[in-house]
Amino acid sequence: MPDKLHSAVSHQLGVSVENRPILATVFNKDCQDTVTIFGGFHGDEPKSVHICREFIKLLSQHPAHSRHTRWVIAPLINPDGYERRHRRNAHKVDINRNFPTENWTPGKRNSRMFGGPSPGSEPETSAVINLIAAYPPHVIITIHSISDGRFCNNYDGPAKSLAEIMHQHNHYPITSSIGYATPGSFGHWAGVEKNIPTITLELPSHHSPKKCWQDNRPALLAVGAFAQHSQLS
Ligand SMILES: [Zn+2]
């Protein structure tokens, strides 16, 4: 008989500019200790989507990992960009610069990091904000990938100890800054302004999807244990 308490439910958070569904899978939905994981903010970073999908598979096969944790996993925030393998959405807005933060600026329209016509203008951004409201997270992991050896566990908000736990498993460097300003980023919105421990997990773009998964599977599971013992709410 299936374990009903720990079985997964699927949610549609909204649709993209081009009407593609934006989906999340929730395990152990009635538990309060929530870890929320995002992938595919940038359509040209498919490894982030791969890791989320592998993690959903793992949790589906091993319900014990969800016994004390509510996992909320949204593998692909920017399906239109992913379809084209482009960073930005179909409006050519960088979703990771479109969050309604106090430091939001549009930037240049033709830039890879264009923040959009106004803060929170994009349906993909609204989908993320709605998910955070529906399942308030104790901790957030947002997965990206990066070139030139800059892979890291980048933390925003009260997440240094969480970054240290992930580092013990994936051995990526810990940083509090990616090295350049990121106005309107999700990390700033969730970590700095909402005070939710937030890790931007930057995968090494030169590693295979398989290696990224092997290195980060134990790191993600360790985050679940951290959320259970965290006093943060
Ligand atoms: Zn990215």
Side-chain angles (χ1 to χ4, degrees), residues 32-220:
Q32 295 299 307
D33 295 329
T34 304
V35 178
T36 301
I37 304 177
F38 293 101
F41 266 74
H42 292 141
D44 57 353
E45 298 171 8
K47 286 187 187 90
S48 68
V49 182
H50 175 75
I51 299 299
C52 289
R53 288 180 174 161
E54 287 295 315
F55 199 59
I56 289 172
K57 234 189 277 174
L58 176 77
L59 296 179
S60 304
Q61 290 161 358
H62 301 280
H65 293 313
S66 316
R67 193 152 289 144
H68 305 293
T69 305
R70 177 164 68 187
W71 298 99
V72 179
I73 306 165
L76 181 50
I77 295 305
N78 177 10
D80 300 346
Y82 184 76
E83 191 68 20
R84 301 173 171 85
R85 291 295 193 270
H86 283 178
R87 175 183 175 92
R88 295 173 293 168
N89 77 350
H91 287 152
K92 302 200 164 158
V93 174
D94 182 347
I95 301 305
N96 206 31
R97 298 292 182 279
N98 187 239
F99 281 80
T101 61
E102 89 237 332
N103 68 357
W104 178 87
T105 55
K108 291 191 178 127
R109 183 166 286 276
N110 292 326
S111 144
R112 297 174 68 238
M113 297 178 184
F114 177 48
S118 61
S121 57
E122 302 309 300
E124 295 86 354
T125 310
S126 302
V128 170
I129 292 172
N130 292 345
L131 184 66
I132 298 290
Y135 298 100
H138 283 58
V139 304
I140 298 172
I141 312 294
T142 176
I143 310 180
H144 289 254
S145 62
I146 198 162
S147 60
D148 304 326
R150 294 175 294 158
F151 53 94
C152 57
N153 300 296
N154 170 224
Y155 66 91
D156 281 301
K160 188 163 187 228
S161 51
L162 181 61
E164 283 162 356
I165 286 165
M166 293 190 68
H167 167 78
Q168 283 168 20
H169 296 278
N170 65 16
H171 308 296
Y172 296 178
I174 298 167
T175 79
S176 59
S177 166
I178 204 80
Y180 46 85
T182 58
S185 71
F186 174 68
H188 193 91
W189 180 80
V192 177
E193 295 193 3
K194 298 216 168 288
N195 212 37
I196 305 167
T198 300
I199 301 287
T200 303
L201 171 61
E202 292 280 4
L203 303 169
S205 57
H206 62 287
H207 284 180
S208 69
K210 191 174 167 196
K211 176 154 176 57
C212 289
W213 170 234
Q214 281 170 348
D215 291 345
N216 284 286
R217 178 179 52 196
L220 293 176

